[in-house]
Amino acid sequence: MGTSTRRSRRLMALAAVAALTTGLLAGCSKDSDDSSSNDGGGNAKGKTTLTVGTFGVFGYKQAGLYDEYMKLHPDISIKENVTTRTDVYWPKVLTRLQAGSGTDDIQAIEVGNITEAVQTQGAKFVDLGKDVDKSQWLNWKNAQATTKDGKLIGLGTDVGPMAICYRKDLFKKAGLETDRTKLAAQWKGDWAKYVDVGKEYMKKAPKGTKFVDSASSVYNAALGGGSERYYDKDGNVIWDKSDGVKKAWDVAMSVATGNMSAKLKQFDKPWDQGYANATFATVACPAWMIGYIEQKSGDSGKGNWDVAAAPTASNWGGSFLGVPTASKHQKEAVALAKWLTAPEQQAKVFAKQASFPSTPSAYPTLKPAADTTAYFDNAPITQIFSDSAKTIPVQYFGIKDQPINTAITDVGILQVEQKGKTPDQGWDAASKEIKDVLGQ
């Protein structure tokens, strides 16, 4: 979340689903900017009030976790402070961290901001590694929140393991394999193989359809499965030398120049209409997008959408809970953060709003809503996403990771996909934008 464009779009997507559907994403609610919600207890005499600063909908209130914790700890009162605009939340937190006052007892940190928190604000957060069993969380999730000197400043909340959602009715009309296991085997290990399936699809594509929603979505999915992005583990910018970027760019260019993209921008209205009208056959889908697809595709998609493993394990999204050293109730805040992110509580949040846990021991207990399972032709959704989550590589994010990504997708790829530029021209346009972002 934070300043992450993709995470912001994700929040808008979840909010839309929460307002319009039940099932996997049932029970989400909207809060106004900088709103506060006192979940019982208030500032009752003799109680310690803990404040939890979040952005968007984390699901703790909706899943009844605050009430449950306060019943277990009568001496604790919990107050959640919600900022719905992610571009407002993190700058505000940074200002308060640097001032050494005004922070909440617990502060949520979006994956797009965790590197900045680790590299520039590590001393402002409590080392949570001393108070928890770190093996409860995915190793790569812990790595994202660990400083160079081994300090764990955030406990993982959700993650966004990736799969490929596809319209098997369109695949059948195009004469392609429709079985999810056999299909996944065709592109296993290489996003270029996924593009090869796309080429075959386009040979007999049903009228008015394309293989994929956009080249940018393929780029982001492929990039999320590599060990290199825009920065190395030491914080050095490597976007122009990154093997992960090169492979993702090449795959995206194959899509953009191969007439297999519907050229839709994710979460814009035309993209939603593309679901409703079945104008694209596949989409790279993190776990939280399942409910969105179900809602936007409507009755026409029921039983026609299916889910297969992605070519490589990949992640899109996720957050952490940290405890600022400025908290006046550090011991109590650490205990609450530890409890909220424990496997049992993460499973409860998943049941309420499909936020996929970062704690593997919770995976066997996860059960999608029956109507969602039926909608995706009884695909083993939790198994597919669990397998992905366990094998996602450690990726190192940089402070300007998101602006660099935006330059490549919204400038470089767009030049090729929508304006007919060559891949070299698209890369040059993206490079110029990135150098401006980096002040080079």
Side-chain angles (χ1 to χ4, degrees):
M1 295 184 187
T3 58
S4 168
T5 301
R6 286 194 296 163
R7 181 70 170 197
S8 297
R9 290 173 182 166
R10 175 199 167 185
L11 288 176
M12 290 188 289
L14 288 178
V17 175
L20 298 172
T21 190
T22 57
L24 247 166
L25 296 181
C28 300
S29 66
K30 293 183 178 180
D31 298 280
S32 60
D33 285 352
D34 294 318
S35 65
S36 300
S37 56
N38 193 331
D39 296 285
N43 290 305
K45 186 176 180 180
K47 291 191 175 186
T48 297
T49 297
L50 297 178
T51 58
V52 181
T54 66
F55 43 88
V57 181
F58 268 62
Y60 299 143
K61 177 183 178 182
Q62 291 74 16
L65 296 189
Y66 292 145
D67 287 339
E68 182 179 349
Y69 191 82
M70 288 187 288
K71 288 180 180 179
L72 293 171
H73 303 83
D75 58 331
I76 296 294
S77 175
I78 301 172
K79 181 181 180 182
E80 185 181 67
N81 296 322
V82 183
T83 301
T84 55
R85 287 187 57 186
T86 57
D87 60 336
V88 172
Y89 173 81
W90 184 242
K92 178 179 65 177
V93 173
L94 279 178
T95 297
R96 293 175 178 177
L97 285 171
Q98 291 162 357
S101 63
T103 61
D104 289 302
D105 295 298
I106 294 175
Q107 293 285 176
I109 310 169
E110 198 267 334
V111 65
N113 302 123
I114 190 62
T115 297
E116 183 172 16
V118 165
Q119 292 183 359
T120 71
Q121 304 300 317
K124 302 290 186 178
F125 284 96
V126 174
D127 182 2
L128 299 174
K130 300 177 181 179
D131 296 283
V132 300
D133 175 6
K134 291 189 284 188
S135 68
Q136 291 185 97
W137 288 268
L138 294 160
N139 289 335
W140 61 266
K141 186 72 171 178
N142 283 333
Q144 290 179 331
T146 302
T147 63
K148 285 185 177 181
D149 58 357
K151 184 177 179 181
L152 182 67
I153 68 166
L155 301 181
T157 58
D158 60 320
V159 291
M162 195 79 68
I164 298 294
C165 293
Y166 67 102
R167 293 275 311 214
K168 65 179 185 179
D169 55 335
L170 297 182
F171 269 52
K172 184 176 181 180
K173 291 178 181 179
L176 300 184
E177 179 63 63
T178 60
D179 179 83
R180 66 180 73 95
T181 302
K182 294 179 180 178
L183 189 58
Q186 290 183 7
W187 57 51
K188 184 177 181 180
D190 192 345
W191 284 89
K193 293 180 180 179
Y194 168 75
V195 174
D196 288 341
V197 174
K199 293 176 181 177
E200 291 301 311
Y201 177 87
M202 293 310 301
K203 289 178 180 179
K204 296 182 180 180
K207 185 178 180 180
T209 72
K210 298 293 183 181
F211 178 63
V212 69
D213 59 332
S214 72
S216 291
S217 71
V218 176
Y219 172 84
N220 285 321
L223 184 67
S227 58
E228 286 187 341
R229 290 175 60 90
Y230 308 123
Y231 290 76
D232 64 20
K233 63 180 181 180
D234 296 318
N236 301 309
V237 180
I238 59 167
W239 66 272
D240 54 345
K241 299 181 288 291
S242 167
D243 183 61
V245 171
K246 183 181 185 304
K247 288 181 178 179
W249 174 265
D250 289 345
V251 169
M253 290 301 98
S254 295
V255 171
T257 61
N259 192 36
M260 63 182 77
S261 169
K263 304 178 182 179
L264 299 171
K265 188 173 183 180
Q266 292 190 325
F267 303 109
D268 280 359
K269 187 174 181 179
W271 189 62
D272 293 345
Q273 293 171 338
Y275 279 117
N277 298 325
T279 59
F280 53 89
T282 71
V283 62
C285 57
W288 50 263
M289 196 183 286
I290 289 292
Y292 190 87
I293 293 172
E294 182 179 354
Q295 190 269 321
K296 294 300 180 182
S297 296
D299 291 340
S300 67
K302 187 175 183 179
N304 286 321
W305 278 104
D306 208 328
V307 184
T312 61
S314 180
N315 184 71
W316 174 0
S319 298
F320 304 82
L321 295 185
V323 176
T325 55
S327 168
K328 296 180 180 179
H329 311 290
Q330 285 187 24
K331 181 179 179 180
E332 295 84 354
V334 168
L336 176 57
K338 180 179 177 181
W339 188 85
L340 287 173
T341 57
E344 297 80 4
Q345 278 60 258
Q346 293 208 29
K348 292 172 186 175
V349 174
F350 173 84
K352 194 65 177 178
Q353 66 174 48
S355 295
F356 206 82
S358 59
T359 49
S361 64
Y363 296 164
T365 70
L366 304 182
K367 294 181 179 179
D371 61 341
T372 297
T373 300
Y375 194 91
F376 288 89
D377 196 31
N378 298 310
I381 295 173
T382 55
Q383 185 63 53
I384 291 172
F385 288 120
S386 296
D387 289 345
S388 175
K390 292 174 183 177
T391 55
I392 292 169
V394 175
Q395 287 194 327
Y396 298 97
F397 289 73
I399 293 176
K400 294 187 177 181
D401 199 276
Q402 187 56 41
I404 294 174
N405 192 80
T406 300
I408 291 177
T409 58
D410 293 6
V411 177
I413 294 177
L414 184 145
Q415 292 279 328
V416 180
E417 186 173 52
Q418 299 198 17
K419 297 185 178 181
K421 301 294 185 180
T422 67
D424 285 344
Q425 289 172 324
W427 182 256
D428 288 343
S431 297
K432 183 179 184 299
E433 184 74 13
I434 291 170
K435 290 175 180 178
D436 287 342
V437 167
L438 298 175
Q440 297 177 344

